[in-house]
Amino acid sequence: MSRPTSQGPSRRLLLAGALAAVSAAVTGCSSDSGTSSSGGSRRLRIGYFAFPSGDLIVKNRKLLEKALPDYRITWIKFDSGASVNQAFLGKSLDIAALGSSPFARGIAGSSPIPYKVAFILDVAGENEALVARKGAGISDVAGLRGKTIATPFASTSHYSLLAALETGGLKTSDVKLVDLQPQAIIAAWQREDVDAAYVWLPTLDELRRSGTQLTSSKEIGAAGRPTLDLAVVSDELVARDPKAIDTWRKVEAQALSLLKSDPDGSVEAVAAELGISAADAEAQLSQGVFLTPDEVASADWLGTDGTPGKLLTYVTDTARFLADQKQIDAVPSADAVREAFYLKGLPDVLK
């Protein structure tokens, strides 16, 4: 189907489907969800992706559960940022991983989603890419004219795909875009229903086996349109329990440090969470760009309390591009973007 030119379903419709979406996510991942102390009166509902990152180390090693033993902590797996946004609209999440593009969508419009970015999980590198089937006869982005391309809509991959098409001299009307989640992309690829796909690991590696990589988020980012995996917190949690946010950021910073200080242990944790071999986990981790805790809170990225970093510009630029592509109705104001940053306590809480 062709890409719609409007922003998509209204927030009212998204809200109506949010609880159902989250219910499905929890049901589908019951084996991945866990609680720390059954007697805990406080709770944290955390959304995550089955994607190689420090987030999986925090989950696998139960770093948050150990740091907050009196909390009931539930991990809920999601397939894309669009479903995370729906869950926040349904007030079913407290903390979650979220791509920079769906975050820019979430804070746009007259009724922004009530959440704030509080951490950076990773910067997209070779772990998100555009791949064409070898049998489709496509050797570069310009060769996608008239072809069918799959990607999860409203994701960082979708954003990077739009940027890649523009760089290749193509409009969205020159191709056929199909909205598919990662697992559905694999099935469509095997049936040869699609000619190319822009997606992330681990699905990406499966496509590479029978495809040709045309570009990656690393290349697109170097050209001025970086994408990141952020971590956001609900406004309600900011008001109710800021100390829990500080603790969560501290263990996420610990995981980033472990990626460098204990690479073997990090690989083991990620392999266990993804159900893959250590060799595959190591290869997948090597394709991401992981900042140090100091870099996260630096002027080049998230910034510190009272002084937002360059991420503020990246999010604004992402929203501007999405507006130009008619993916959102308007670019959020500078004040709206600034208000969507939770920087209190940085950088001290990361130490």
Side-chain angles (χ1 to χ4, degrees), residues 66-119:
K66 293 173 183 176
L68 296 173
D70 295 328
Y71 282 67
R72 187 173 75 255
I73 297 171
T74 305
W75 292 81
I76 307 168
K77 186 167 66 176
F78 289 86
D79 291 327
S80 72
S83 55
V84 170
N85 276 345
Q86 289 180 337
F88 272 108
L89 282 168
K91 298 183 179 180
S92 299
L93 281 174
D94 301 301
I95 299 171
L98 184 66
S100 52
S101 176
F103 174 67
R105 289 172 180 268
I107 62 174
S110 58
S111 300
I113 296 175
Y115 58 24
K116 303 185 189 305
V117 60
F119 199 74

Side-chain angles (χ1 to χ4, degrees), residues 306-330:
T307 310
K310 291 181 180 178
L311 180 63
L312 190 75
T313 301
Y314 297 151
V315 171
T316 303
D317 288 347
T318 298
R320 184 175 295 109
F321 178 76
L322 291 173
D324 290 343
Q325 294 287 323
K326 302 188 185 304
Q327 299 295 307
I328 60 176
D329 294 333

